[in-house]
Amino acid sequence: MSRFEDLIAEGAAVPTEGWDFSWFTGRATEQRPSWGYARLLADRAAKAEAVLDIQTGGGEVLASVPVAPPVVAATESWPPNVDIARRNLAGFGATVAEVDDRAGLPFPSDHFDLVVSRHPVVTRWDEVRRVLRPDGTYLSQQVGPGSVRELTEFMMGPQPASAHSSPGPLATTAGATPIAAASTAEAAGLEVADLRQEALRMEFHDIAAVVHFLRKVIWIVPGFTVDAYRERLAELHDFMERHGPFVAHSQRFLIEARKN
């Protein structure tokens, strides 16, 4: 069991701050959506005057755009990520506000012509519409229902079809269906211009990658700790040692909506 213990110790020691997944290189893979969110973001940011990135993580995705608009702002709820985002977005002169995921946005109405969000925990469609200028655009890549369900159910057993709580009439949570997101956006007064969905293959090649992933993406196995799930981790380690990668599928959808 020494290899198992070494691997879980390694996975448990990797810092989880920020939204950088480069540590997984060679240890886990995930197919990327065909629409290319970063490319779409860069294209729209180059034409915008003011952009807001909601739940930015460490600001890594927004920081990747080659041309940023004159006004750049972001929100993030986790304090360690706020500091990272401020560093990553400092070159754009960005304002990064610490904001709870379900709270209102601390910006004036009709302030941004582009609002973006990659994998938001909660989407407050009413607040998105409020801060958008007329003819402004919201672009978001979101987590669809049942994402990485194979890993969740291996660790926790069979799960109900929908385990997330209702966030209110003008909001959706991660794991909402694309239809629900589009309906809620329209109820908030936005016009949905684009909606696409894909299931994407994931492979985990060792148990360290599983441990780090579950520590970083906390909604896959809520309350995950190595000690609480050691027996299941040992069984999964044995499976991968004998049979190769553990395969799961992430669910993603792209939604683009406009304020008329």
Side-chain angles (χ1 to χ4, degrees), residues 12-212:
V14 182
T16 57
E17 292 83 357
W19 211 234
D20 179 5
F21 284 77
S22 60
W23 179 87
F24 289 99
T25 301
R27 314 190 78 143
T29 60
E30 182 180 358
Q31 182 185 2
R32 312 316 301 172
S34 62
W35 50 74
Y37 175 78
R39 176 180 54 79
L40 295 175
L41 170 60
D43 175 71
R44 285 149 181 74
K47 302 170 185 174
E49 296 178 0
V51 62
L52 168 65
D53 187 13
I54 299 173
Q55 298 170 41
T56 192
E60 296 89 351
V61 179
L62 183 57
S64 71
V65 303
V67 179
V71 176
V72 176
T75 69
E76 172 57 29
S77 63
W78 195 35
N81 278 353
V82 173
D83 292 337
I84 294 171
R86 285 174 176 155
R87 292 197 297 271
N88 284 335
L89 298 173
F92 294 154
T95 298
V96 180
E98 184 176 336
V99 180
D100 184 81
D101 293 332
R102 294 175 180 266
L105 298 170
F107 302 102
S109 298
D110 304 325
H111 193 63
F112 301 97
D113 56 341
L114 178 63
V115 176
V116 300
S117 190
R118 182 179 181 272
H119 304 173
V121 176
V122 177
T123 302
R124 282 284 307 270
W125 294 98
D126 55 337
E127 282 294 281
V128 169
R129 185 186 186 281
R130 182 184 66 78
V131 300
L132 274 174
R133 297 173 183 173
D135 297 322
T137 296
Y138 176 63
L139 176 73
S140 181
Q141 180 175 294
Q142 306 219 357
V143 178
S147 192
V148 204
R149 189 179 189 90
E150 300 93 336
L151 182 56
T152 302
E153 296 200 337
F154 181 88
M155 301 298 291
M156 302 178 67
Q159 299 295 299
S162 178
H164 59 270
S165 61
S166 173
L170 293 178
T172 54
T173 59
T177 67
I179 293 174
S183 296
T184 310
E186 289 168 350
L190 295 167
E191 178 184 351
V192 176
D194 195 3
L195 186 64
R196 310 181 220 175
Q197 181 180 17
E198 292 181 357
L200 306 162
R201 182 182 175 94
M202 301 178 69
E203 293 185 359
F204 295 90
H205 293 267
D206 65 38
I207 202 66
V210 173
V211 169
H212 181 45

Side-chain angles (χ1 to χ4, degrees), residues 214-236:
L214 293 177
R215 292 174 56 238
K216 192 173 186 73
V217 188
I218 58 175
W219 55 83
I220 302 300
V221 178
F224 171 81
T225 65
V226 168
D227 288 342
Y229 287 91
R230 182 175 292 271
E231 183 176 337
R232 299 302 289 159
L233 292 169
E235 184 175 345
L236 184 53

